[in-house]
């Protein structure tokens, strides 16, 4: 009986260590990206195509843009693929990576409860919509997590000439979480929120949330991609990482992006071959 | 209510179809958590046994620290290990960040204090019974440690199960150090967190049910083993 | 390295013991020589068990000291009132102390099996020790001690929780060990047992050794009124 017990422990230990999948040996790069690209399903669509063409597997760490850039700064990823142009340019200027290539854009929308207490439904002008939310002191969920979406939201408030932080802890609620959890919170609290369309379309727990404001050019959301600087972090897989960047801005990569749809709706609009729009 | 019902049928569907993606996640969860328990046991069990038998200056302090570490927030542990394993950290050259090994380390760090504290509690009773006899045989505290570990093996199985349960249920640390990479470091708990943030609450709940079923199965197997063996040994 | 042939005599000089302010033994001086069993008797609470533990080295004396003629550490063993058996097989229990006392690995099992045969447990070697009856458990404890080939064997009320049949079996084993030359030092509250086994008697009363005499003399004519009263079966404390 002792030996049986011992053998069982041993077997468990072996099973636990020996079943290491072949993945440990495979050729791969690590990409620090955002929850919007991962959770919208875009990566699930385009990465297998890239891997099939090149034999390079892609491991995606999905974080907020700020965190993703930090992961790149620390050298813990080979490529950074995010959406906060100002932060990206700072990243490049500080010598952590680059050059930055623009890849695609999607757009943000403002969603809110069907009751729409601030009466913003149908507005095109985000300045006007945000001012009404502030005046009505209607609950607004902010990501509050230094993500690209958070940065975009803060820029929109600034353009609207409203300082939402005066309502902090009352109607302006910073949750410090990813897009999905923030949407869950907004749905639960009947609050307004700025979200990227991709996450919104694949989000399932909407309750009575709906899109109230969309289409303003200020809501366009540009994604950029950068190789982490191999001079600073010698272990960075520069060749394979560059291969990914070259592919995603190539006609093949751009077509794969354009091809990805949820319910027939295109989420991301490739624009690597066009001059980058200035916002 | 609707969500619960749909979660239940989703869970059944996942199990019935042996969904390969889910199966991979389940296997990785088991592999990571069982390895973490094994690693933590190598340190935690002897440490707990030593604390049960030895009286030395600072022992009270060690126990206080261990008990406090049982409450270490997983995210904090994860963050510490992240900073250690990061390419910019002291152990960066190992290239372990965002790998299952990093997750094993994180879980092992989290449950070692738990194993040590529970082991101490369990073996103190045994030591009370054995102490005089072992001293009569000329066994000091150091020699008593392996004796108590072996003779307390059935009770310690319960301790290991508690450690396994905590490791398998943990999400904060493995999310930070594993990165929740699909097909590579995604485990049950981080998959649940992901589906929750995608708002797919039924799927998240279904995965939770699968996780619970696994933990219950492991517990039942171990408990059965323990009971059979304990009936033998008295 | 050669050790002296014997660790006896064992000497206690001015031995005293107090725990938590409670005095249990005072000023015990006695010499235990090789030979027939030394039986320690006295009323409950007189300090018999503490005296045995002090002699065996399980307790450190508050005053005085215990000295042996030779290197005593590995040449003495003790059997307790309630045997503490490891959660292992009968054989493994008998082997365990041999490992601790430095018996070569190859020799351990043979020695353990011999000892088990001596106490009549040879057939139960593979049984879980804690499944044995009370009497068998105490015999295993004796085998475990005997396997060590101790020169001195301390026994603390080894039959206190046993029925008469088991008591008889234990007494026969003790007598056999004594006949083989093992020095027995045993406490008991059972006067009949003391009469059956004793070569000499140590009578402990209120934490002091009141008498230390050859068994025949002690039982025929105790020197102190307390011992006389104890032998008459009167309540003494």
């Amino acid at each position: 009986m002792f030996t049986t017990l011992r053998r069982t422990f041993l077997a468990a230990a072996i099973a636990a260590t020996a079943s290491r999948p072949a993945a440990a040996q495979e050729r791969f790069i690590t990409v620090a990206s955002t929850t919007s690209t991962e959770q919208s399903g875009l990566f699930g669509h385009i990465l297998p195509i890239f891997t099939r063409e090149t034999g390079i597997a892609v491991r995606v760490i999905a974080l907020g843009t700020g965190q993703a850039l930090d992961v790149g700064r620390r050298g813990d990823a080979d490529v950074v693929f995010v959406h906060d142009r100002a932060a990206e340019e700072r990243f490049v200027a500080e010598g952590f990576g680059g050059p930055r290539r623009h890849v695609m854009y999607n757009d943000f929308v403002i969603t809110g409860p069907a009751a729409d207490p601030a009466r913003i439904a149908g507005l095109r002008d985000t300045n006007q919509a945000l001012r009404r939310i502030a005046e009505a002191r209607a609950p607004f969920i902010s990501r509050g997590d230094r993500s690209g979406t958070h940065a975009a939201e803060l820029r929109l408030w600034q353009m609207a000439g409203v300082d939402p932080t005066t309502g902090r802890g009352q109607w302006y609620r910073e949750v410090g979480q990813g897009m999905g959890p923030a949407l869950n919170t907004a749905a639960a609290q009947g609050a307004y929120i700025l979200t990227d369309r991709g996450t919104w379309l694949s989000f399932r727990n909407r309750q009575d949330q709906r899109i109230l404001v969309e289409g303003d050019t200020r809501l366009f959301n540009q994604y950029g991609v950068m190789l982490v600087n191999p001079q600073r972090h010698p272990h960075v897989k520069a060749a394979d990482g560059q291969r990914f960047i070259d592919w995603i801005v190539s006609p093949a990569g751009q077509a794969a992006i354009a091809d990805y749809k949820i319910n027939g709706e295109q989420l991301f609009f490739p624009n690597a071959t066009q001059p980058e729009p200035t916002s | 209510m609707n969500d619960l019902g749909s979660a239940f049928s989703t869970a059944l569907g996942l199990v019935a179809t042996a969904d390969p993606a889910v199966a991979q996640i389940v296997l990785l969860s088991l592999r990571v958590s069982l390895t973490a328990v094994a690693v933590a046991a190598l340190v935690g069990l002897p440490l707990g046994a030593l604390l049960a038998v030895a009286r030395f200056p600072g022992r009270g302090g060690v126990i206080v620290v261990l008990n406090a570490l049982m409450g270490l927030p997983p995210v904090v542990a994860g963050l510490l290990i992240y900073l250690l394993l990061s390419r910019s950290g002291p152990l960066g050259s190992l290239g372990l960040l965002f790998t299952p090994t990093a997750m094993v380390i994180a879980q092992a760090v989290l449950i070692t204090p738990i194993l040590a504290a529970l082991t101490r509690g369990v073996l103190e009773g045994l030591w009370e019974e054995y102490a005089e006899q072992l001293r009569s045989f000329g066994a000091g505290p150091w020699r008593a440690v392996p004796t108590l570990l072996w003779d307390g093996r059935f009770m310690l199985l319960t301790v290991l199960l508690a450690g396994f349960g905590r490791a398998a249920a943990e999400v904060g640390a493995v999310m930070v150090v594993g990165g929740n990479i699909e097909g590579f470091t995604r485990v049950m708990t981080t998959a649940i967190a992901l589906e929750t943030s995608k708002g797919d609450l039924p799927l998240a709940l279904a995965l939770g049910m699968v996780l619970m079923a696994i933990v219950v199965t492991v517990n039942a197997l171990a408990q059965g083993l323990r009971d059979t063996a304990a009936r033998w040994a008295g | 390295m050669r050790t002296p042939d014997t660790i006896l005599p064992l000497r206690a000089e001015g031995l005293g013991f107090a725990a938590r302010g409670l005095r249990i033994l005072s000023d015990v001086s006695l010499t235990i020589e090789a030979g027939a069993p030394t039986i320690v008797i006295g009323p409950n609470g007189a300090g018999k068990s503490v005296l045995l533990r002090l002699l065996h080295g399980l307790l450190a004396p508050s005053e005085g000291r215990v000295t042996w003629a030779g290197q005593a550490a590995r040449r003495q063993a003790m059997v307790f009132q309630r045997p503490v058996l490891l959660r292992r097989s009968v054989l493994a229990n008998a082997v365990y102390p041999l490992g601790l006392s430095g018996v070569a690995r190859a020799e351990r099992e043979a020695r353990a099996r011999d000892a088990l045969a001596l106490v009549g447990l040879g057939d139960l070697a593979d049984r879980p020790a804690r499944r044995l009856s009370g009497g068998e458990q105490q015999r295993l404890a004796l085998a475990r001690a005997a396997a060590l080939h101790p020169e001195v064997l301390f026994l603390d009320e080894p039959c206190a929780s046993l029925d008469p049949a088991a008591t008889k079996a234990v007494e026969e084993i003790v007598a056999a060990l004594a006949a083989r030359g093992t020095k027995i030092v045993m406490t008991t509250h059972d006067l009949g047992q003391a009469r059956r086994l004793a070569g000499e008697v140590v009578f402990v009363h209120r934490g002091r050794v009141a008498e230390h005499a050859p068994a025949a003399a002690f039982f025929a004519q105790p020197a102190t009124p307390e011992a006389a009263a104890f032998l008459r079966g009167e309540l003494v404390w």
Side-chain angles (χ1 to χ4, degrees):
Chain A
M1 191 47 80
F2 298 145
T3 48
T4 314
L5 191 65
R6 226 179 282 172
R7 222 177 284 141
T8 313
F9 275 133
L10 206 64
I14 290 168
T17 48
S19 62
R20 203 165 291 276
Q25 265 73 42
E26 79 185 349
R27 187 173 165 198
F28 69 91
I29 57 169
T30 304
V31 175
S33 189
T34 66
T35 46
S36 53
T37 41
E38 165 87 346
Q39 293 185 13
S40 64
L42 175 71
F43 278 147
H45 174 72
I46 66 168
L47 294 183
I49 303 174
F50 170 72
T51 303
R52 216 163 31 242
E53 281 182 23
T54 61
I56 303 170
V58 182
R59 294 182 184 167
V60 176
I61 321 284
L63 302 161
T65 289
Q67 283 176 293
L69 287 168
D70 278 347
V71 165
R73 276 194 186 88
R74 302 187 62 88
D76 294 320
D78 304 305
V79 171
V80 181
F81 187 6
V82 292
H83 63 101
D84 180 357
R85 187 166 170 184
E88 290 161 41
E89 282 168 350
R90 220 163 31 243
F91 180 83
V92 173
E94 288 161 359
F96 288 106
R100 171 181 177 276
R101 299 290 307 268
H102 62 282
V103 178
M104 63 186 188
Y105 67 91
N106 67 347
D107 65 338
F108 292 116
V109 296
I110 297 174
T111 72
D116 191 18
R119 291 179 300 102
I120 64 168
L123 290 178
R124 262 190 81 96
D125 183 348
T126 55
N127 288 349
Q128 212 180 341
L130 291 179
R131 281 185 210 123
R132 283 194 191 174
I133 290 171
E135 278 159 20
R137 303 177 66 78
F140 183 95
I141 299 298
S142 168
R143 289 277 293 278
D145 65 347
R146 283 200 313 137
S147 61
T149 305
H150 185 213
E153 179 216 312
L154 294 178
R155 268 197 309 277
L156 289 172
W157 284 113
Q158 202 176 9
M159 283 188 274
V162 177
D163 178 7
T165 56
T166 56
R168 182 178 279 157
Q170 296 159 42
W171 62 270
Y172 185 72
R173 299 165 188 174
E174 295 159 293
V175 294
Q177 299 197 60
M179 197 70 252
L183 277 170
N184 278 329
T185 308
Q189 299 190 350
Y192 294 97
I193 184 169
L194 180 78
T195 170
D196 65 281
R197 192 185 293 269
T199 305
W200 169 254
L201 283 175
S202 56
F203 184 72
R204 303 277 295 276
N205 182 33
R206 292 182 189 172
Q207 302 183 29
D208 74 339
Q209 287 272 315
R210 58 199 57 191
I211 293 179
L212 298 173
V213 176
E214 60 186 326
D216 190 329
T217 52
R218 280 178 287 236
L219 289 170
F220 284 5
N221 178 33
Q222 180 67 44
Y223 285 79
V225 69
M226 287 141 286
L227 183 71
V228 174
N229 187 349
Q231 259 112 54
R232 199 179 269 263
H233 295 292
H235 59 270
V236 164
K237 295 169 178 156
D240 287 354
Q242 192 59 49
R243 189 109 184 256
F244 174 75
I245 294 170
D246 292 345
W247 178 82
I248 205 160
V249 300
S250 76
Q254 296 277 291
I257 292 170
D259 205 31
Y260 181 60
K261 298 190 171 74
I262 295 180
N263 303 330
E265 196 166 340
Q266 182 177 345
L267 291 187
F268 295 92
F269 299 87
N271 63 350
T273 53
Q274 300 146 28
E276 184 169 10
T278 48
S279 56
Chain B
M1 267 309 117
N2 226 353
D3 278 354
L4 281 179
S6 113
F8 196 67
S9 57
T10 309
L12 283 179
L14 288 176
V15 174
T17 58
D19 184 299
V22 172
Q24 192 197 15
I25 291 172
V26 166
L27 284 178
L28 183 65
S29 291
L30 280 174
R31 196 183 111 207
V32 166
S33 295
L34 288 175
T35 313
V37 168
V39 171
L42 284 179
V43 179
L45 265 51
L47 179 60
L50 193 62
L51 288 172
V53 303
R55 297 290 177 272
F56 53 89
R59 175 179 174 271
V62 173
I63 290 172
V64 167
V65 169
L66 270 185
N67 287 339
L69 282 179
M70 286 212 284
L72 179 69
V75 176
V76 174
L79 212 51
L80 284 172
I81 293 158
Y82 176 92
L83 293 175
L84 282 175
L85 296 183
S86 167
R87 289 287 183 178
S88 304
L91 304 177
S93 57
L94 300 175
L96 290 178
L97 192 65
F98 304 139
T99 65
T101 306
M103 299 158 78
V104 168
I105 294 171
Q107 290 190 351
V109 164
L110 278 175
I111 62 176
T112 298
I114 296 175
L115 294 188
L118 293 179
T119 299
R120 178 180 75 86
V122 162
L123 293 187
E124 259 177 355
L126 198 59
W127 177 237
E128 211 165 284
E129 183 191 335
Y130 279 14
E132 193 169 51
Q133 182 71 66
L134 292 190
R135 281 194 12 247
S136 169
F137 289 151
W142 284 104
R143 190 58 187 76
V145 164
T147 300
L148 290 182
L149 287 174
W150 179 246
D151 278 45
R153 58 200 177 278
F154 303 120
M155 295 181 272
L156 293 176
L157 194 57
T158 313
V159 170
L160 292 180
L161 285 176
F164 173 74
R166 160 98 175 189
E170 193 285 316
V171 57
V174 291
M175 182 71 95
V176 172
V177 304
N180 192 24
I181 299 170
E182 186 181 0
F184 186 59
T185 58
R186 183 163 298 167
V187 288
M188 295 298 291
T189 52
T190 57
I192 291 168
L194 178 67
E195 294 308 331
T196 305
S197 67
K198 282 157 86 171
D200 197 340
L201 304 188
L203 181 55
L205 211 52
L207 288 169
M209 289 175 183
V210 174
L211 176 63
M212 282 314 297
I214 293 163
V215 172
V216 166
T217 308
V218 169
N219 271 273
L221 285 176
Q223 209 64 42
L225 189 71
R226 178 201 147 124
D227 289 350
T228 325
R231 212 171 299 125
W232 183 88
Chain C
M1 183 186 83
R2 280 184 65 85
T3 49
D5 281 331
T6 176
I7 55 172
L8 291 170
L10 157 64
R11 284 201 175 80
E13 294 166 51
L15 217 51
F17 185 80
R20 295 190 195 94
L22 195 68
R23 177 138 297 273
I24 297 169
L25 274 185
S26 310
D27 196 27
V28 171
S29 292
L30 71 123
T31 301
I32 292 177
E33 308 269 4
T38 299
I39 304 295
V40 181
I41 60 172
N44 281 337
K48 304 188 294 290
S49 293
V50 168
L51 175 58
L52 228 58
R53 282 169 171 74
L54 287 169
L55 295 177
H56 184 43
L58 283 178
L59 292 176
S62 309
E63 305 97 29
R65 59 190 191 135
V66 174
T67 54
W68 299 80
Q71 288 292 320
R74 284 180 179 168
R75 303 182 63 187
Q76 48 167 321
M78 181 156 173
V79 169
F80 298 87
Q81 178 176 341
R82 304 186 67 86
V84 178
L85 298 183
L86 303 178
R87 287 156 172 79
R88 309 177 184 200
S89 72
V90 167
L91 180 65
N93 264 277
V95 165
Y96 179 83
L98 298 179
L100 286 175
S101 66
V103 175
R105 188 173 288 272
E107 269 182 60
R108 289 178 204 163
E109 183 172 338
R111 254 169 88 163
R113 284 194 187 276
D114 283 350
L116 290 178
L118 175 78
V119 304
L121 290 177
D123 295 339
L124 303 182
D126 296 325
R127 292 270 283 280
R130 297 171 75 94
R131 296 267 147 183
L132 298 180
S133 71
E136 289 168 336
Q137 294 204 6
Q138 194 57 288
R139 274 149 61 200
L140 174 53
L142 277 162
R144 199 164 56 175
L148 288 165
H149 297 175
E151 188 177 348
V152 178
L153 175 59
F154 295 99
L155 299 106
D156 185 19
E157 300 270 9
C159 304
S161 345
L162 301 184
D163 62 30
T167 299
K168 182 161 183 291
V170 168
E171 283 185 16
E172 282 168 5
I173 295 164
V174 169
L177 288 172
R180 290 202 325 196
T182 304
K183 173 67 188 184
I184 303 290
V185 182
M186 172 170 148
T187 66
T188 182
H189 65 277
D190 175 350
L191 277 174
Q193 186 169 59
R195 284 179 204 273
R196 289 190 293 276
L197 292 174
E200 61 169 3
V201 170
V202 173
F203 177 65
V204 181
H205 182 243
R206 292 194 182 175
R208 290 174 191 275
V209 170
E211 274 189 63
H212 183 188
F218 177 83
F219 287 118
Q221 193 139 36
T224 57
E226 291 85 0
F230 182 72
L231 286 179
R232 284 194 304 273
E234 289 172 13
L235 284 174
V236 177
W237 61 90

